[in-house]
Amino acid sequence: MRADRLVATLLFMQTRGRVTAAEVATELEVSVATARRDLEALSTAGIPVYPQPGRGGGWALVGGARTDLTGLTAAEAQSLFLLLGPMTTATLASRTALRKLMRALPQSFRSEAEAAAGAIIVDAAGWGELDDRTPEEVELLQAAVVRRRRVAFTYERTGVSTERTADPWGLVDKDGIWYLIAGTERGRRTFRVDRMTGVRITAENSDRPADFDLSAAWSEVVEQMESNRSTLAATVLVPARLLPVLQDRQGRHCVVEGPAPDGRIRVRISAPTALMIAQQLAGWGTALEVLEPESVRAELGRLGAELAAAYPNG
């Protein structure tokens, strides 16, 4: 797990002061390229790790060799935990490493470092959308989560803009689409960050429940959104070789039910309407076979007839 390696790399540098990527690779039993990427990630995140060019160079931890993290500034500690936090949701070992690193910080830094570690989670499962551009508001919202400050912003939905204020509790990166989970006068709400403009951090302290868990809250959001989006399901047969591609494109809306007698895989594709399912599957042509419901089969036939009429064979 990368979070474990980043922690181990930083601790290794504290004992050595200056290292090469090759030395890190040997110590952690990874490739030199992987070690170099990890060193660059620490440096990019604002941790005082810098490359030293020339003969006898390598990577240096500014301030020299140390046995703890007391040499980090508050800003550097926040940067480190913002980097590590999203990577530590998968394994117990990663969470344990983060807790050990937290205990090595000065007491005065721990509150904001802990907030930074829990400010973001990454949900890689797609919803059929992909945007690799990180909204510029994300960095500002990260700071508000860590500093526990309320935010004010304009929110646009269905063509209507409204002025909002909220207590930012955490951010979620879902396959390139960013969401803010926040507290409002009407309770917990989820905002798409790309619909937020004019974001500013106010001087008011935000109110975040002591027992708030970002991962658990996001799971509830996903369950509700999936329920709203998946009101109809179609049973589809797909060749095994195409299943990974279909799963990547459909994300959570593709559920594998098991193998069919002819070797193909039986899956369930869901969407709000029969037309939407048909539109998603039409591009696959005859590579996929829709068994049911009849409404989806009818929509596929209609779409096929429309295409045949619009693009007749020459």
Side-chain angles (χ1 to χ4, degrees):
M1 187 67 185
R2 192 182 184 210
D4 298 345
R5 293 201 316 270
L6 292 174
V7 172
T9 298
L10 185 58
L11 295 177
F12 179 56
M13 294 188 72
Q14 287 171 350
T15 63
R16 299 286 294 274
R18 177 178 296 180
V19 298
T20 65
E23 289 172 338
V24 174
T26 300
E27 175 71 16
L28 303 185
E29 299 182 349
V30 297
S31 69
V32 174
T34 296
R36 186 176 295 109
R37 283 195 299 270
D38 288 347
L39 288 163
E40 290 172 349
L42 288 170
S43 180
T44 301
I47 312 307
V49 173
Y50 298 99
Q52 302 292 314
R55 187 174 182 178
W59 291 80
L61 182 63
V62 173
R66 291 188 292 272
T67 56
D68 57 38
L69 297 181
T70 56
L72 291 180
T73 66
E76 289 165 352
Q78 288 178 27
S79 295
L80 175 62
F81 282 83
L82 277 171
L83 174 67
L84 296 178
M87 303 175 190
T88 58
T89 58
T91 68
L92 176 61
S94 297
R95 294 191 293 273
T96 300
L98 196 69
R99 285 196 295 269
K100 289 180 179 179
L101 196 59
M102 186 78 69
R103 288 196 294 268
L105 288 173
Q107 184 65 41
S108 59
F109 290 178
R110 291 181 189 175
S111 177
E112 291 193 349
E114 185 175 8
I120 298 173
I121 61 173
V122 176
D123 183 348
W127 265 334
E129 299 179 79
L130 181 61
D131 190 345
D132 58 5
R133 299 167 300 174
T134 301
E136 59 183 19
E137 291 81 8
V138 167
E139 185 174 350
L140 197 61
L141 291 169
Q142 284 179 354
V145 172
V146 173
R147 293 166 53 191
R148 304 289 175 90
R149 293 288 188 271
R150 301 197 80 192
V151 293
F153 55 93
T154 301
Y155 196 67
E156 183 171 340
R157 186 175 183 182
T158 62
V160 178
S161 297
T162 56
E163 299 300 317
R164 308 285 190 98
T165 58
D167 296 328
W169 293 348
L171 288 158
V172 178
D173 173 9
K174 180 166 181 62
D175 199 28
I177 306 297
W178 286 84
Y179 295 86
L180 171 71
I181 296 182
T184 72
E185 294 179 351
R186 298 183 178 182
R188 192 181 74 196
R189 291 292 184 270
T190 303
F191 302 97
R192 271 186 62 148
V193 176
D194 58 4
R195 295 175 182 168
M196 301 170 66
T197 58
V199 177
R200 62 182 179 85
I201 301 176
T202 73
E204 300 177 71
N205 292 331
S206 67
D207 182 17
R208 173 172 168 166
D211 60 350
F212 176 73
D213 182 280
L214 181 57
S215 294
W218 179 245
S219 294
E220 294 175 9
V221 171
V222 169
E223 183 177 353
Q224 181 60 49
M225 294 179 75
E226 294 291 353
S227 176
N228 294 340
R229 291 163 60 100
S230 306
T231 56
L232 182 68
T235 301
V236 181
L237 295 180
V238 54
R241 62 184 175 82
L242 297 180
L243 179 60
V245 182
L246 184 64
Q247 289 177 307
D248 180 67
R249 294 186 182 180
Q250 295 297 319
R252 297 176 187 269
H253 299 287
C254 177
V255 177
V256 176
E257 295 187 333
D262 62 1
R264 290 182 292 179
I265 308 299
R266 186 184 180 101
V267 302
R268 190 172 69 253
I269 302 296
S270 55
T273 67
L275 176 59
M276 292 180 67
I277 295 177
Q279 288 172 333
Q280 294 168 15
L281 300 181
W284 293 84
T286 58
L288 306 183
E289 180 184 355
V290 176
L291 299 180
E292 58 179 1
E294 188 58 36
S295 59
V296 174
R297 292 171 57 89
E299 289 290 0
L300 280 168
R302 185 181 62 79
L303 290 174
E306 289 180 354
L307 289 171
Y311 303 98
N313 292 330

